[in-house]
Amino acid sequence: MEIDAEVANNKDYDSSEHEMLPLEEGHMNVNDGDDASDDNIEIDADEQIESEVLDSEYIHKLIIGSDNTYDYYGESDLETVEGLCSVNNSEVTSDDPKEKEYKVDCDKDNGHPGDEREKYWKIKDLTFCSKAAAYVFYNSYARDQGFSIRKGRSKISKHASQDVVRRTFVCSREGKRLKKYLPLEGRKYRPRAESRCGCTTQLTVKLDRSTGVWRVRNFDDSHNHLLARPDEVPFLWSHGKIKDFQRAEILAMAASGIRKHMIMSSFISKYGRYSFVGFTRKDLYNLCAREKRKLLSSGDAATAIGIMERRKEKDPDFVFDHELDDKGRLKCLFWCDSQSRMDYKDYGDVLVFDSTYKMNRYGMPFVPFVGLNNHRKTTVFGCAIISDETEHTYSWLLRTFMRAMYQKRPKSVITDADAAMIRAIRNVLPDVWHRICTWHIEKNMSKHLSPKSLPEFRSLLYYTTTESKFEEGWHAYVRKWQTNKTKTWLRRMYKKKRMWAGAYLADGFWLGMKSNQRSESLNSCLHLHLDYGMTLVDLIVHYENAIVRFQENEARDDCTSSQTMPVTVTKWPEIERAAANTFTKANFYIIQEELCKIDGMVLVKKSEGEESARFLVAWRNNRRNQFIVEYTPSNSEKSIECTCRRMLRRGIPCKHIQC
């Protein structure tokens, strides 16, 4: 096989311009006078790599391909060189007088005085179980000394196996840049600084076929350049390697949502200094980017669906569904796990969702379905990613959600004011209370109304008066504040009054919620780790991490409620203890606040019938506002009711009932 003579023999080759490939499979026949009897073939190692090697595990994968490697720092699972594959100086013997004479001459001619001579012969007498072990040793030695290495020339046997029988490792600054890379004509970018200066430092190992070990044949430690300081060593080419256990730790932290610069800061804090970490910040970023490319090799949407299918195999109750468009692209994706389905069965009376979160590179809305658990904390029922916000898409999404939740309908739904979403809810959930998020209304109020008129509009938004009083208040507001600029918006809001006015929503079951802040809390949790460049897979992974956090908080609240007892503070400790045994801590404190107000209430009148009893309750200092509490033991669903309807809306007895 022929090879370019300039590449084979010229040392004007720069590792900063092109990195060196390991020449395990190289082929070139040359004659070596010293080893002609070995029937070996020598290979020139100055082959070129056409692109920059950014992979920090390049050496680990392509160079260190052996399991039997000696680690200079004791980080390998193998024994030390002396214990595994080396021979002590006292055990190195030779019957060849020329070899003994050569050793003495080296002592004289090479000028290794004192410690240098001892180090030279100590390295010369080392043996290795493989050439990869020799590379690991020499690279570790180079790291201590302050230089980096690369593979140089090698020799292969003429036998059919063509095994490598000799390998040379050289300083990375050996040789010089090839002349064809020196011209500046036609370059768009400034050329890289030259790193090669003709350094002759090298280590050559040769296979001893009789014993199967590799012996050091030549060692030269004379540099013609400055060596790197310890704090500069991590940036040398052959020392930026991420170890396997570090790689696993990095990927685990990245999957949990920790940003890359924080991961690097964690390693620096762990090892005490960046030079002790063993890799650079660039190596870490390259590793994460490489793993992400591998993960998305089959496409972002296909990978996301593959993740769902694997989840389905592990969790039979896991539900997911997706829809493709005419071109085979992902249009909608919905999923929920078994725990979310159980949570909806217990706490699915109020459903909150919105589609305003679009934190991904495709601008696809992220639609979480959330609610309120028994601790009044956010719980997640399911999640979806959609490509558009049309009525058809929302209708598909709601039907899919209902199939996953055993067709159990919620009592009420809170969403934003999207027109397509409103129409879809009317079609799929026609008998469900629907409320527009008050936060979105407040935001639109600030845009369309004058600041002076906002307090009066808020009274229409929040006060739970009768419908007739609302109509009176609305017309009064329109006469006073309507202008040509606000006329259109006020007319549009009046048409939707049954979805935002407190007077029309007083009979709905809302658990005290008026906005979709529960959905926003999940979005904000995801937003801490994500950005507009994230993929669908990123969103799914970080969503799973957020779900784990919510489940952890729920378990902690369960533990607190079951293992502790709230302290009684009112004059009715028996009622408090009974409430503490019935309700969770969060709900108990609401009841306790209502109990503290009983002193201000008075029983005005009591009337009893055959099947029910009626109580007339009022404030002690203001008896004009009276409330009727009706108790019907025979009615299991509505055994007790109050005209304030707070128990109906929040699910907790009001102070009038407790009075």
Side-chain angles (χ1 to χ4, degrees), residues 214-333:
W214 291 75
R215 301 182 183 276
V216 177
R217 185 176 184 275
N218 185 31
F219 173 64
D220 187 348
D221 200 29
S222 57
H223 296 273
N224 64 348
H225 56 86
L226 292 176
L227 299 179
R229 301 192 309 269
D231 59 336
E232 298 174 345
V233 169
F235 304 100
L236 297 178
W237 181 78
S238 65
H239 303 310
K241 185 182 71 171
I242 300 178
K243 297 179 176 61
D244 290 341
F245 72 91
Q246 292 175 326
R247 176 180 179 275
E249 191 173 352
I250 290 171
L251 296 180
M253 287 193 285
S256 64
I258 302 177
R259 294 185 180 274
K260 300 179 188 66
H261 71 277
M262 297 179 66
I263 296 175
M264 189 65 189
S265 299
S266 174
F267 275 93
I268 294 175
S269 176
K270 177 180 179 181
Y271 289 94
R273 186 177 174 83
Y274 72 88
S275 58
F276 300 153
V277 173
F279 58 87
T280 64
R281 197 175 300 269
K282 183 179 180 181
D283 298 328
L284 188 148
Y285 276 75
N286 287 339
L287 171 65
C288 295
R290 186 168 58 253
E291 292 297 325
K292 191 171 185 178
R293 286 195 299 270
K294 284 196 295 185
L295 181 64
L296 303 178
S297 58
S298 60
D300 195 6
T303 303
I305 295 175
I307 293 175
M308 299 299 168
E309 291 175 346
R310 289 191 292 272
R311 287 288 308 275
K312 179 68 175 178
E313 294 176 357
K314 296 179 181 179
D315 183 4
D317 292 330
F318 181 86
V319 175
F320 85 96
D321 196 4
H322 65 283
E323 189 178 47
L324 304 178
D325 61 10
D326 297 337
K327 297 182 180 180
R329 297 174 299 187
L330 182 65
K331 185 178 180 181
C332 308
L333 176 64

Side-chain angles (χ1 to χ4, degrees), residues 41-84:
I41 304 172
E42 187 174 352
I43 302 175
D44 188 355
D46 286 336
E47 296 184 3
Q48 303 175 11
I49 298 177
E50 294 299 330
S51 62
E52 180 182 3
V53 179
L54 296 179
D55 191 347
S56 63
E57 294 182 350
Y58 178 76
I59 297 177
H60 180 70
K61 292 182 178 179
L62 298 182
I63 298 179
I64 308 177
S66 172
D67 293 336
N68 301 322
T69 58
Y70 163 67
D71 194 332
Y72 184 79
Y73 281 91
E75 294 165 347
S76 172
D77 292 332
L78 300 177
E79 301 295 336
T80 60
V81 172
E82 290 79 9
L84 177 65

Side-chain angles (χ1 to χ4, degrees), residues 17-59:
E17 183 72 29
H18 291 75
E19 305 294 354
M20 294 301 300
L21 273 173
L23 301 180
E24 298 296 338
E25 295 103 292
H27 299 281
M28 187 182 78
N29 298 334
V30 298
N31 295 324
D32 190 341
D34 294 338
D35 298 294
S37 61
D38 292 340
D39 295 334
N40 295 327
I41 304 172
E42 187 174 352
I43 302 175
D44 188 355
D46 286 336
E47 296 184 3
Q48 303 175 11
I49 298 177
E50 294 299 330
S51 62
E52 180 182 3
V53 179
L54 296 179
D55 191 347
S56 63
E57 294 182 350
Y58 178 76
I59 297 177

